[in-house]
Amino acid sequence: MRAVFSSLITYILVFASIASATIIKVPEDYTTIQDGIDISVNGDTVMVAPGIYSGSRNRNITTAGKAILVMGEFGALNTIIDCAFDQTGFIISDSEGANTVIAGFTIKNSLKGIFCDGTSPTIKSCIFNDFFAYGVHVDGYSGDPAVSPIIEDCIFEQVSNDYFGWGDGIYGYRAANITISGSKFARCEHGMNYHAYNNLRPYFDITKCLFRNITGNGIWTHS
């Protein structure tokens, strides 16, 4: 209950911060999440109405280097991206920083929920269910400089009894300094997986996280 309350407070604060932003509504203004992002500019908010979003342009969604907020209008329990078992929810790969924010979505049935490919976005109040590989995958590449995504008040949980069950909640690879707070990890292979490569080491700054029913390790480090 405490974790849910914390997520709700975080979500309210995110919502309050967009009061003066230009708001692009999906599907009211643009049919798909990608359509809404494509028309946006830095500082805009792409507001996604409750519902289940799937198919082309509602998965493998890219933020195109824009400092925007993409959020579910009424939170993760009401705004669901279904990746159809072999796709990724968001691919953030164009030098995005902390002002690129993904908030208030459930991303389920994914290969990877969110792939941060050499980028440092902020991910808030999201739920990752049934990811085959990773809930969030952060690749730091060469490490000059290290990427530094922020993950707050998220839930990583495998809920299916058949196909899934072996994914890692958060995977940090090479030079990635990941800040994680207020998040829950349940029924994952590993809650967090640090993978050092070629003397490039990921770092996790972990605060107030919960690990339950992890089949491997809550936090696993290896090279």
Side-chain angles (χ1 to χ4, degrees), residues 76-187:
L77 293 178
N78 298 292
T79 315
I80 299 166
I81 296 172
D82 189 333
C83 295
F85 304 106
D86 62 352
Q87 306 292 319
T88 295
F90 288 88
I91 300 172
I92 304 174
S93 60
D94 196 8
S95 302
E96 288 87 347
N99 290 328
T100 299
V101 181
I102 308 297
F105 291 96
T106 289
I107 303 175
K108 70 176 187 177
N109 300 332
S110 66
L111 176 62
K112 303 172 185 179
I114 297 178
F115 181 27
C116 304
D117 191 8
T119 55
S120 305
T122 301
I123 301 166
K124 293 186 176 184
S125 303
C126 288
I127 298 172
F128 299 88
N129 285 342
D130 293 341
F131 39 88
F132 186 66
Y134 315 114
V136 174
H137 177 183
V138 180
D139 193 333
Y141 280 112
S142 64
D144 187 20
V147 300
S148 52
I150 298 168
I151 301 170
E152 297 179 349
D153 300 316
C154 291
I155 296 173
F156 301 83
E157 185 173 21
Q158 308 286 27
V159 297
S160 292
N161 294 319
D162 44 25
Y163 186 70
F164 294 94
W166 297 103
D168 297 337
I170 300 173
Y171 177 68
Y173 184 49
R174 298 185 280 198
N177 299 334
I178 309 171
T179 300
I180 307 152
S181 63
S183 295
K184 173 186 173 182
F185 302 81
R187 293 189 292 273

